[in-house]
Amino acid sequence: MEMISQNKSFDGWHKQYRHRSEVLNCEMRFAIYLPPQAVQGQDVPVLYWLSGLTCSDENFMQKAGAQRVAADLGIAIVAADTSPRGDGVANADQYDLGQGAGFYVNATQQPWSKHYRMYDYIVSELPALIEATFPVTSKRAISGHSMGGHGALTIALKNPAMFSSVSAFSPISNPVNCPWGQQAFTAYLGKDRELWKQHDASELMKSAEVRIPALVDQGEADNFLVEQLKPEALQAAAEASDYPLRLRLHAGYDHSYYFIASFIEEHLRFHAEYLGA
């Protein structure tokens, strides 16, 4: 593992690393914010952040303004990349498929299956690397935005013993019924819609037997709200299964990081309650 950069922030450190991923069969990059408690030798819990289409580890770390609160609470933040990358990695000539658009699933279809195993990377390889390398505990939470909100919700719903809590901003809540999800799932998973449902937060929440606290924020001025995000499907699933979901709608807010920065402190404090931070 190679450190690319480091920047001191609120008496902690933001660091960027490059490493070889055996799961994805390529070089990958991630960022970690280590709060001052970790710098002083204390093991701290971790919030994993999954970003949206076209993003990398840099968007959240540079735009969300999360470090101040993370330093106060004693929480490390790990920001993963959104897909495998590199010259030998399959790509598409569009922003919502291929590199930058991994959708946090394990692809089964060619040419994607050689590298696009983001589900295994987030669930297994990256946490194992983080916990073996940095002063962190095995207490984890997960959050994300848009495509990353889809990833955070589905991964938490499929692995409830792994995370103490989950949250999302503007998640793709019902991908089997929206253009982004239908395109990505057809490419990565094939045409079997039953397989798609295994990576759809609304479908998973309907039948969830183990429940962890969930918080979702959605801007009402989001230009993707009606066609792509469909939070009403997630709300209906939570009501049907009595899932502990708090879904909040915010007038005037859009899909941007201005929205995330406005409410990230509330999300971090929400997770801190369950992480014991």
Side-chain angles (χ1 to χ4, degrees):
M1 197 167 64
E2 174 191 1
M3 188 171 69
I4 303 168
S5 66
Q6 62 176 345
N7 306 91
K8 194 167 187 180
S9 178
F10 295 99
D11 290 325
W13 287 94
H14 166 271
K15 300 186 179 188
Q16 243 184 354
Y17 288 89
R18 180 185 298 114
H19 74 104
R20 176 72 185 180
S21 168
E22 297 304 321
V23 167
L24 302 177
N25 193 29
C26 66
E27 292 280 321
M28 287 295 286
R29 191 179 72 189
F30 70 88
I32 184 168
Y33 176 69
L34 294 168
Q37 295 86 342
V39 176
Q40 295 161 9
Q42 177 182 337
D43 288 350
V44 298
V46 183
L47 173 68
Y48 287 86
W49 175 266
L50 307 184
S51 291
L53 292 166
T54 76
C55 293
S56 70
D57 64 286
E58 294 183 335
N59 299 72
F60 178 82
M61 290 300 201
Q62 294 180 9
K63 296 179 179 180
Q67 290 88 345
R68 175 185 62 81
V69 184
D72 180 45
L73 296 172
I75 297 175
I77 302 175
V78 172
D81 204 346
T82 51
S83 78
R85 297 184 191 266
D87 292 340
V89 175
N91 201 9
D93 189 22
Q94 56 194 85
Y95 78 96
D96 51 2
L97 188 67
Q99 294 188 35
F103 270 83
Y104 306 101
V105 301
N106 289 339
T108 60
Q109 306 298 302
Q110 295 292 339
W112 314 103
S113 57
K114 182 179 179 181
H115 297 284
Y116 283 74
R117 301 186 62 82
M118 287 298 294
Y119 177 87
D120 283 351
Y121 179 70
I122 298 299
V123 170
S124 301
E125 187 176 31
L126 184 59
L129 178 62
I130 296 299
E131 290 170 20
T133 308
F134 300 102
V136 300
T137 70
S138 59
K139 291 184 177 180
R140 315 173 195 92
I142 191 166
S143 186
H145 172 232
S146 193
M147 179 187 71
H150 141 77
L153 289 169
T154 55
I155 286 171
L157 286 162
K158 290 169 74 69
N159 302 274
M162 185 175 176
F163 302 100
S164 63
S165 50
V166 59
S167 72
F169 291 85
S170 316
I172 304 173
S173 296
N174 191 203
V176 301
N177 289 315
C178 80
W180 275 341
Q182 291 166 349
Q183 172 183 260
F185 287 179
T186 300
Y188 298 146
L189 303 175
K191 296 181 179 181
D192 183 356
R193 294 181 69 92
E194 292 303 311
L195 180 59
W196 296 5
K197 291 179 181 180
Q198 297 177 24
H199 298 279
D200 183 298
S202 296
E203 295 291 338
L204 291 168
M205 195 170 281
K206 287 178 186 177
S207 57
E209 295 182 356
V210 179
R211 298 165 174 82
I212 62 173
L215 172 65
V216 171
D217 279 335
Q218 175 63 60
E220 292 184 328
D222 191 321
N223 58 323
F224 301 115
L225 176 59
V226 175
E227 184 180 28
Q228 303 282 14
L229 305 181
K230 302 187 181 298
E232 68 280 358
L234 191 68
Q235 184 66 58
E239 292 172 357
S241 63
D242 197 27
Y243 199 92
L245 168 69
R246 186 180 181 191
L247 174 60
R248 308 188 300 184
L249 301 178
H250 301 275
Y253 285 93
D254 58 20
H255 201 71
S256 71
Y257 265 82
Y258 295 107
F259 174 44
I260 296 170
S262 298
F263 297 99
I264 191 62
E265 178 168 354
E266 294 180 29
H267 280 239
L268 287 169
R269 295 193 182 281
F270 163 79
H271 289 296
E273 179 180 352
Y274 302 102
L275 286 167

